[in-house]
Amino acid sequence: MTDSVTSSLMTSLFATAVRPPRRRDARRSLGAAALITSALIALTGCSATGAAEPADPSSSPASSPAAALIDTYDLSGAQFSPAVARALPDGTPFGGISGLEPLGDDRYLGISDDRADKGPARVYRLALPRTPDGGTGLAQVTGMILLTDEHGRGFAPGSVDPESIRAMPDGTLLWTSEGDAEAGIAPEITVAAEDGRALRRFAIPGYQRPADDGARGVRPNKAYEGLTLFDGGARAAVLAEGPLAQDPNAPGASRTRLTVYDVASGAAAAEYAYPLDAPPDGTDERGATEILATGDGRFLVLERSWIKGQGTVGKLYLVDTAGADDVLGAAVLTGSETPVHKTLLLDFSPNGENVDNIESLAWAPDQADGRQTLLVGSDDNFNTGEQRSLIHTVVVALPE
């Protein structure tokens, strides 16, 4: 790369980095308001406008004020290492952060959902330090991992759609691709070396693979958004964003699937019906965008909807598979299955601002008071000026 090209790319990368993050005092006030509002919702069952919340039979009868948003950091304020510019072709944009994974010492991986259209399929190395008041300090984009096939070749444009990533105990990586149902490209779960080279792939149940006529399998842009590891990395849970084409998809009765895989064999070991909330007024879509193990056999799940003129609204749930029916092998869900149990932890809507396209979950170091710290990332979809890459800090005290 010539000096002039490098200079041009770095100028683009740093164009917004000189803007300081928004004032933290405002964000702390926003977080306090969220906690108070969550408590009011829990006690009254009403929204911030006084309207009654619709009942969700799969959830607890009242939400728990167990989580609060305390900080929001705009990644346009991050510093970019020159190594990032050198690793990418000229003009490759930063963005599309669809999954976050902690590596320790404030280091994280951020997978981009670029379908190899704007640049190579890639994972960013991020530094997201904690501040004394528990938020995110000056973020840095420090490096890059290029995702490749088993032969070390980059993926062809449109052939992958990276969505979530986790680091396994042996240092290898596990990442999901949503595929492209319209083009007949099935979702994938890939085990990759630390340098991003694919080593092997999991065996996806046949009824999840998209059919040519669209009547079966994952629906377009509604496949493998969520991924987490649990049981010491021996098992992985994968959550589809929306129902399979053949499964119930009526508002308020929409069910997607939470599939558990044995990591060593790559085979599916269990599967559960996950009931999605009814879409809020102003939209006909609702999706589950990430899943994260809590360490005690339960999971956190993000759900979101996009409302024209308002932006993204979302909720954070605590999910328990205990008592749910194992539906592995059932090609079609009837709606009579006992689904997983959901407990509402946080409704992002009353916080007074658009949280943007939230679809990442990662644990961060605990707060000074012992509460757990959760990072919730948003994907800007490379829509500069319309959507943002944000890191929301949420404090969590999980109920028993």
Side-chain angles (χ1 to χ4, degrees):
M1 185 181 292
T2 66
D3 289 343
S4 61
V5 171
T6 301
S7 175
S8 173
L9 179 55
M10 291 308 296
T11 298
S12 173
L13 288 172
F14 277 100
T16 54
V18 296
R19 296 203 318 252
R22 288 172 290 168
R23 291 179 56 191
R24 279 185 202 288
D25 53 350
R27 291 190 294 217
R28 282 199 295 270
S29 298
L30 203 161
L35 184 57
I36 293 169
T37 305
S38 294
L40 289 172
I41 293 173
L43 292 171
T44 66
C46 294
S47 69
T49 61
E53 293 274 313
D56 183 349
S58 66
S59 305
S60 295
S63 61
S64 169
L69 173 63
I70 65 167
D71 182 78
T72 294
Y73 186 94
D74 192 332
L75 281 176
S76 67
Q79 293 183 340
F80 292 82
S81 164
V84 177
R86 290 194 297 267
L88 291 173
D90 183 33
T92 301
F94 172 79
I97 305 301
S98 185
L100 285 173
E101 173 70 352
L103 298 178
D105 299 325
D106 295 329
R107 296 176 299 119
Y108 295 81
L109 297 177
I111 193 167
S112 175
D113 66 1
D114 185 350
R115 299 185 180 191
D117 292 324
K118 299 172 177 62
R122 58 198 180 276
V123 179
Y124 293 99
R125 293 188 180 275
L126 306 172
L128 303 173
R130 300 291 91 203
T131 62
D133 60 355
T136 298
L138 181 60
Q140 298 180 61
V141 184
T142 61
M144 187 81 54
I145 299 172
L146 299 183
L147 299 174
T148 62
D149 66 14
E150 289 84 349
H151 304 286
R153 299 175 301 209
F155 292 99
S159 64
V160 292
D161 183 5
E163 292 293 347
S164 191
I165 188 167
R166 301 298 176 191
M168 295 201 286
D170 63 359
T172 56
L173 305 175
L174 191 66
W175 62 278
T176 63
S177 170
E178 201 167 28
D180 186 344
E182 290 182 317
I185 301 175
E188 290 187 334
I189 308 166
T190 300
V191 178
E194 291 181 82
D195 63 1
R197 180 176 57 86
L199 300 174
R200 59 186 175 93
R201 292 177 173 82
F202 284 10
I204 307 300
Y207 53 82
Q208 294 190 14
R209 294 181 173 275
D212 291 341
D213 60 2
R216 182 165 296 227
V218 295
R219 294 187 296 130
N221 206 34
K222 295 293 181 182
Y224 284 1
E225 282 275 350
L227 166 69
T228 192
L229 291 166
F230 64 110
D231 281 359
R235 293 199 290 175
V238 178
L239 185 62
E241 182 175 2
L244 300 181
Q246 68 269 26
D247 287 342
N249 192 27
S254 180
R255 295 191 170 192
T256 186
R257 302 196 187 212
L258 191 166
T259 309
V260 175
Y261 288 87
D262 175 76
V263 171
S265 67
E271 191 168 79
Y272 306 97
Y274 180 97
L276 289 165
D277 283 4
D281 292 342
T283 180
D284 60 358
E285 288 289 346
R286 185 74 175 179
T289 60
E290 187 59 287
I291 184 170
L292 181 65
T294 61
D296 60 4
R298 299 179 294 177
F299 304 96
L300 298 178
V301 169
L302 270 181
E303 291 189 32
R304 66 149 194 244
S305 297
W306 182 82
I307 302 176
K308 186 176 181 179
Q310 180 177 344
T312 300
V313 294
K315 293 181 179 180
L316 177 69
Y317 281 102
L318 179 64
V319 172
D320 197 338
T321 61
D325 291 335
D326 186 347
V327 299
L328 183 64
V332 180
L333 297 181
T334 64
S336 63
E337 304 85 1
T338 301
V340 300
H341 183 266
K342 297 162 52 178
T343 300
L344 178 63
L345 298 183
L346 178 63
D347 183 353
F348 288 92
S349 303
N351 289 313
E353 68 172 40
N354 175 17
V355 292
D356 258 313
N357 195 35
I358 48 175
E359 55 181 68
S360 305
L361 289 175
W363 291 115
D366 290 350
Q367 297 287 307
D369 63 6
R371 287 180 296 173
Q372 290 178 283
T373 304
L374 182 69
L375 300 187
V376 181
S378 72
D379 171 9
D380 67 354
N381 282 323
F382 300 101
N383 290 332
T384 304
E386 296 182 19
Q387 291 180 296
R388 301 163 294 171
S389 293
L390 303 175
I391 301 294
H392 302 290
T393 303
V394 173
V395 292
V396 180
L398 294 177
E400 294 296 329

